Every structure is written in structure tokens, then in C-alpha cells.
């Protein structure tokens, strides 16, 4: 791999930057691999990278039906945090947070991880009790967190509306200083480049059309570029997990919904943290380009169309203007929708399936981006050993049968 | 934005409705007789197709009645709305 460094930039400057290698090869699929990963989003590419790096398994292909950085990885609002209530979730998201903290150096690609902190606002007395409980739980799990009162919120976001006359007044917030944002498509590109440099084939424009099985175990997949055999197959297809499970002949407790987000025109720096509100239901941060990145909840209906309804946008823009009257006359530049696979307990499914050798990593709902490195790390372990790592063991598909759900609905400080 | 043809009120804006998820999931007659796997299938598993989907809607800000809709989850096209207890209207398989 050609390293990105100040020295190399200076060297290439001498030849007008015309001789940089492509970040990853245009690999054509071979007939057989030891491990196939279906889905070239951040989670799939991270899985491939950690398979190669941590487990020495490089006979791996990542199959992406479109192009790298064209799916949900580039369709989210880039928030990274680990302040989840339950210990199982805290372990998973904090593993991810620790990987984020060294990620740019590890993969030699600037993912622009910026630990600017996240505020999760409380608007009622019960919100504040829940926030105290969650921050205490976080601290017991070794995750940073503080409870702020209204003045503490105002000190960090001076223009937030703290009037007592609004429908849901701001009473306080939880504050996770190590949380922040990262550049989403750089995460996909960086992991693709790092995995490729370790020998993984990143195969774009290769859609999986069938999952071939013999005697209850997976033997390979059919793709738009021909059949490919494999010992193990990991499916990491946010937004289409149900479609792939249908190909493999089993059902998932997942419903796919549109999730919309918006970006405003760029303005001078005004918001140097991330603010989320569960009750009023909007979250916002400011990108390095100066755009406000705005998101909220899913559209209620099932949808695979990568678009949602206008009433949903109206709802979260009303919330934005209520909390930040100063933004009321801003123009919006872009608007998009992604497809999120939501689970009944708002936690992901990472582990075995009823088909031998076939593993699924799915159901991240609206919050998968933050988990990208950690998800890849635990899924690589699962694919390499055939068994879940202790961190992802609580997130098996069997929990819907045993009843051991990881119920993060409303518990995770997040607007689901 | 969807224009939903309520079987009682006619076509109305989506904002008048609430979504109720997959339709035609029958509650087991004898829940005690079900295995954990069968109960999980009833309680949690969903068909979640990319394409035609039969689903429940409630006309919350209208007649306040539940009904079923067959809608395409990829294109958001609505084939038909029909009352609870009625059979889904036929649809050309190719459409």
C-alpha cells in the first residue's frame, strides 16, 4: 500500500500529483474464497480488514452490488457515541469507540474523527431521571459521561432555546465528551483501502442473487458476476438483510424503513458539538464544510425506496426551529433517504443463523455508523472462529426465542 | 408522501394515518401450545419484502378505523386498500 504521509505528498507534488495509485484495486471475483462478505459498506469492509489484520485470514472477498461509499455508509449523520444504557450495548459501542480513537493512524486514512462531544437533551423530569440513570450506568461501565443542567447546556450551545414557554423546555442533558462525528465516506474508503492492502478482494458491481446451500450449510453464493464458492459467508447488508435472509430460507425480526436526513447551506462555525433530542426528535451537528447535518426518526412505514415522506421532514424541521430559532431562515442544500433495518429491541443481530457457515450482521436500525469498527471487529472474530466473541454473544438471533432481548428502545439516549 | 385510499373516507393525505405493520398475522388460537420458536415467529418475525406488502393502517385523524393496504415498498405505489376481514384484491403478478 502506498502510504499517505506528508513526505509522500511532497514527493508527489514534484510530479503534479499525477502518479498516486488508486486506493484499492478493481478486483474481479475469483471462483472460490475462504470467506465471503456480502455488502461493501463500512461494516463489511471493517469486517474484512479485521479478518486480515487480527486473524490473518486474507483469502477474503467483499461483494458490493454498487460502489464503495454509495450506500448507507454515505447516507447517515455520522454521529459516534457509546453512551448506551445496558451493559451488553455499552461493551459493543465502547469497543467501537476505542477503535475509532486510533482508527485514522491504524488504517493510514484520515477519517476526520472529531471528538466534539454529544449532548442528549432532557425535556421532562422523567427525561432527567433517565439521563441520570444512564450516565451512572455508563460510568460504571467505564464510559465517560456527565449530567448537565440547563446552564451547562447553554454554556456549550449558547443559542439554544431555553425558554420555559416552549412545548418541551430544555431542562438539561447528558454529555459524553469523547463522542463526536467522523467523515462517513472516508470510513468506507479507508477500510476498503486497508483491507485491499492486506490482500482482500474488494469487488464492486457484484450483486448477490442467491445463497447456495448443501445439507443445511452454505457452500457459496450466486452473483451477477457468476457463482462464487466459500467456506463461510458473512452477510452485512444494512437495508436489505431481510431480502438476503429470504434467499437463505429463514426469517428475521426486521422491518426496513426509510430514514431521511438533510444538510443546510454552509455557514460559519456556530455549533461545535452534537446535540440530540429524543422528545422533540431532532439531532444536529455542523460539518467541517460548515453545513448543518440534520436528522431525526424513521418514516413509520416499511420502505426500500431510499426516500420518505415530506411530513417527516416537516416534523423534524419544526423541532429544529423550536430548539434553535436562529436556524429558522436557513436554506437546505441536500436531502436524502437511506434504508434502515430495525429490530424489535432496537439492537443489532450479529452472529449465527439457522444455516451452517452463514453469519449475519444486521438490524442496526438508525444507529449503525457509530459501530462500524467495533461491528467489523466482533464480526471478524465470529467469521474466523465460527463462534461469537463475548462482546457480540448477547446479540444472537436466538435472543428472540429465549426472550433475552437487549431493549435499547428509548434507553439509549437516542431517538428511535 | 402517500395518498392513501381509506375504504370508508376515500383518498386522504398520509399525515392523517398511522402505520400498523404487516397485515394478516393471525394470533395463535392456543398460545400455550406453541414452542418458543413458534412464538418468536409469531411475535417478532416479519416478511419485510422489497416489493408488494400487505400492511395495516389506521385512519387516526379521520374515521379512526383500521384497514389493510397492499403497497409496493420499493416504489411506494398502492395497489388497493380493503377492509379488515376482506380478501386482498387480486393483483397481476407481473405488475
Amino acid at each position: 500500500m502506498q502510504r499517505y504521509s506528508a513526505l509522500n505528498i511532497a514527493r508527489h507534488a514534484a510530479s503534479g500529483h499525477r502518479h498516486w495509485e488508486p486506493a484499492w484495486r478493481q478486483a474481479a471475483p475469483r471462483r472460490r474464497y475462504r470467506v465471503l462478505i456480502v455488502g461493501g459498506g463500512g461494516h463489511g469492509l471493517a469486517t474484512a480488514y479485521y479478518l486480515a489484520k487480527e486473524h490473518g485470514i486474507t483469502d477474503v472477498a467483499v461483494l458490493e452490488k454498487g460502489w464503495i461509499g454509495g450506500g448507507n455508509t454515505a447516507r447517515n449523520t455520522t454521529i459516534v457515541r457509546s453512551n448506551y444504557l445496558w451493559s451488553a450495548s455499552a461493551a459493543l459501542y465502547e469497543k467501537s469507540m476505542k477503535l475509532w480513537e486510533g482508527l485514522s493512524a491504524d488504517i493510514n486514512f484520515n477519517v476526520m474523527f472529531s471528538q466534539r462531544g454529544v449532548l442528549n437533551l432532557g425535556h421532562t423530569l422523567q427525561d432527567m431521571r433517565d439521563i441520570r440513570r444512564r450516565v451512572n450506568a455508563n460510568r460504571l461501565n467505564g464510559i465517560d459521561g456527565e449530567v448537565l443542567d440547563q446552564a451547562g447546556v447553554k454554556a456549550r450551545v449558547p443559542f439554544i432555546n431555553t425558554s420555559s414557554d416552549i412545548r418541551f423546555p430544555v431542562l438539561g442533558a447528558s454529555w459524553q465528551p469523547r463522542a463526536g462525528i467522523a467523515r462517513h465516506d472516508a470510513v468506507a474508503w479507508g477500510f476498503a483501502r486497508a483491507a485491499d492492502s492486506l490482500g482482500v478482494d474488494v469487488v464492486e458491481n457484484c450483486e448477490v442473487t442467491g445463497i447456495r446451500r448443501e445439507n443445511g450449510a452454505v457452500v457459496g453464493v450466486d452473483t451477477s458476476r457468476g457463482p462464487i464458492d466459500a467456506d463461510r459467508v458473512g452477510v452485512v447488508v444494512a437495508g436489505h438483510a431481510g431480502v438476503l435472509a429470504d434467499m437463505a430460507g429463514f426469517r428475521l425480526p426486521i422491518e426496513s424503513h426509510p430514514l431521511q436526513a438533510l444538510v443546510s447551506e454552509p455557514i460559519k462555525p456556530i455549533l461545535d458539538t452534537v446535540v440530540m433530542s429524543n422528545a422533540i426528535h431532532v439531532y444536529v451537528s455542523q460539518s467541517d464544510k460548515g453545513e448543518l447535518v440534520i436528522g431525526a426518526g424513521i418514516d413509520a412505514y416499511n420502505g426500500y425506496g431510499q426516500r420518505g415522506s415530506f411530513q417527516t421532514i416537516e416534523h423534524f424541521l419544526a423541532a429544529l426551529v423550536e430548539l434553535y430559532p436562529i436556524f429558522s431562515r436557513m436554506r437546505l442544500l441536500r436531502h436524502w433517504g437511506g434504508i434502515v433495518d430495525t429490530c424489535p429491541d432496537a439492537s443489532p443481530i450479529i452472529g449465527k443463523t439457522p444455516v451452517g457457515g452463514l453469519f449475519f450482521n444486521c438490524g442496526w436500525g438508525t444507529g449503525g455508523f457509530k459501530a462500524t469498527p467495533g461491528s467489523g471487529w466482533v464480526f471478524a472474530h465470529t467469521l474466523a472462529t465460527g463462534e461469537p466473541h463475548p462482546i457480540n454473544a448477547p446479540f444472537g438471533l436466538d435472543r428472540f426465542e429465549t426472550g433475552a432481548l437487549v431493549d435499547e428502545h428509548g434507553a439509549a439516549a437516542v431517538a428511535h | 408522501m402517500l395518498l392513501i385510499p381509506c375504504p370508508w373516507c376515500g383518498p386522504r393525505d398520509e399525515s392523517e394515518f398511522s402505520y400498523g405493520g404487516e397485515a394478516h398475522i393471525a394470533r395463535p388460537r392456543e398460545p400455550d401450545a406453541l414452542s418458543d420458536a413458534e412464538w418468536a415467529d409469531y411475535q417478532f418475525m416479519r416478511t419485510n419484502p422489497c416489493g408488494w406488502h400487505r400492511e395495516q393502517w389506521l385512519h387516526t385523524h379521520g374515521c379512526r378505523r383500521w384497514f389493510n393496504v397492499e403497497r409496493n415498498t420499493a416504489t411506494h405505489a398502492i395497489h388497493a386498500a380493503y377492509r379488515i376481514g376482506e380478501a386482498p384484491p387480486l393483483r397481476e403478478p407481473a405488475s
Side-chain angles (χ1 to χ4, degrees):
Chain A
M1 178 173 76
Q2 177 177 247
R3 283 194 67 77
Y4 294 155
S5 64
L7 185 63
N8 264 336
I9 289 173
R11 275 195 193 128
H12 280 277
S15 58
H17 292 293
R18 285 188 301 274
H19 302 294
W20 288 99
E21 292 168 11
W24 60 89
R25 296 166 292 133
Q26 292 292 316
R30 295 202 308 271
R31 188 64 184 77
R32 172 171 182 82
Y33 291 91
R34 188 167 161 198
V35 179
L36 278 180
I37 294 165
V38 182
H43 289 228
L45 293 163
T47 305
Y49 171 66
Y50 291 115
L51 262 177
K53 184 194 171 202
E54 305 280 341
H55 304 279
I57 300 173
T58 57
D59 185 13
V60 176
V62 180
L63 309 180
E64 166 55 42
K65 75 172 174 182
W67 67 96
I68 298 303
N72 280 345
T73 304
R75 287 172 179 271
N76 59 77
T77 47
T78 81
I79 299 168
V80 176
R81 58 185 179 84
S82 61
N83 55 351
Y84 280 68
L85 175 69
W86 301 115
S87 296
S89 317
L92 178 61
Y93 291 102
E94 181 60 16
K95 172 70 195 174
S96 197
M97 178 67 83
K98 291 211 165 77
L99 291 169
W100 276 113
E101 286 175 328
L103 190 61
S104 290
D106 186 35
I107 62 175
N108 182 231
F109 200 104
N110 186 5
V111 298
M112 296 167 74
F113 181 47
S114 162
Q115 292 178 290
R116 56 184 65 187
V118 166
L119 291 162
N120 292 98
L121 301 178
H123 301 277
T124 64
L125 292 176
Q126 187 58 43
D127 273 0
M128 293 311 298
R129 286 183 209 113
D130 291 342
I131 282 171
R132 269 185 214 102
R133 179 189 180 204
R134 180 167 47 75
V135 168
N136 286 336
N138 291 160
R139 292 169 79 139
L140 287 171
N141 278 318
I143 295 168
D144 58 324
E146 288 170 41
V147 180
L148 302 183
D149 60 9
Q150 190 192 70
V153 174
K154 195 83 176 165
R156 284 177 173 78
V157 188
F159 54 89
I160 199 166
N161 184 359
T162 47
S163 159
S164 57
D165 291 338
I166 64 175
R167 175 69 183 84
F168 294 102
V170 176
L171 301 184
S174 71
W175 167 245
Q176 188 186 12
R178 286 159 67 238
I181 57 173
R183 177 159 179 205
H184 47 14
D185 37 18
V187 176
W189 300 333
F191 271 123
R193 173 169 168 272
D196 173 271
S197 75
L198 296 176
V200 171
D201 281 353
V202 178
V203 185
E204 294 168 271
N205 301 307
C206 182
E207 179 170 3
V208 169
T209 53
I211 294 177
R212 285 186 293 118
R213 290 157 285 154
E214 280 173 19
N215 303 321
V218 71
V219 293
V221 298
D222 293 318
T223 77
S224 56
R225 297 175 71 171
I228 307 172
D229 295 337
D231 297 336
R232 283 182 181 154
V233 177
V235 174
V236 203
V237 290
H240 284 80
V243 177
L244 270 287
D246 193 44
M247 287 180 197
F250 61 92
R251 274 150 66 81
L252 288 174
I254 280 179
E255 296 198 299
S256 302
H257 291 267
L259 176 64
Q260 305 184 73
L262 305 154
V263 160
S264 77
E265 60 189 327
I267 54 172
K268 288 189 176 179
I270 182 165
L271 181 61
D272 63 356
T273 183
V274 183
V275 192
M276 308 179 69
S277 165
N278 202 345
I280 302 191
H281 219 172
V282 70
Y283 38 89
V284 60
S285 65
Q286 188 173 20
S287 75
D288 289 351
K289 283 188 286 185
E291 300 159 333
L292 297 179
V293 183
I294 304 156
I298 56 174
D299 279 77
Y301 50 76
N302 290 26
Y304 284 88
Q306 293 188 324
R307 65 184 191 279
S309 293
F310 186 71
Q311 62 178 29
T312 308
I313 300 170
E314 212 172 8
H315 180 79
F316 61 76
L317 287 181
L320 183 82
V321 173
E322 172 99 324
L323 276 179
Y324 317 99
I326 195 173
F327 294 152
S328 65
R329 283 179 292 160
M330 288 190 67
R331 294 175 188 82
L332 297 171
L333 280 192
R334 295 190 301 282
H335 154 246
W336 66 91
I339 311 168
V340 296
D341 286 341
T342 57
C343 267
D345 59 354
S347 288
I349 298 167
I350 320 165
K352 296 178 180 181
T353 69
V355 179
L358 178 67
F359 301 85
F360 264 57
N361 180 348
C362 62
W364 288 91
T366 60
F369 178 74
K370 69 176 79 70
T372 303
S375 159
W377 194 89
V378 297
F379 200 45
H381 177 98
T382 308
L383 281 167
T385 64
E387 294 295 327
H389 187 273
I391 292 177
N392 64 315
F395 296 95
L397 182 56
D398 58 349
R399 73 178 186 268
F400 297 96
E401 225 175 286
T402 63
L405 303 182
V406 187
D407 185 8
E408 285 290 352
H409 260 297
V414 70
H416 285 296
Chain B
M1 185 88 83
L2 305 176
L3 188 64
I4 298 173
C6 172
W8 283 275
C9 310
R12 296 291 184 90
D13 192 286
E14 179 197 330
S15 58
E16 295 184 13
F17 297 86
S18 308
Y19 186 64
E22 185 176 343
H24 304 295
I25 298 174
R27 186 174 174 82
R29 285 188 181 279
E30 292 182 69
D32 291 348
L34 260 52
S35 69
D36 287 349
E38 288 166 334
W39 183 256
D41 192 72
Y42 160 72
Q43 178 77 9
F44 295 119
M45 303 298 162
R46 296 293 179 264
T47 55
N48 193 30
C50 179
W52 291 105
H53 186 233
R54 290 171 185 157
E55 55 197 24
Q56 309 172 101
W57 287 85
L58 170 64
H59 198 177
T60 316
H61 303 294
C63 63
R64 304 194 59 182
R65 282 194 265 205
W66 285 97
F67 58 96
N68 293 328
V69 172
E70 185 164 19
R71 186 180 60 90
N72 191 308
T73 59
T75 65
H76 295 187
I78 290 175
H79 166 60
Y82 53 100
R83 298 180 184 193
I84 300 286
E86 287 180 355
L90 288 176
R91 174 173 46 76
E92 293 293 319
S95 62

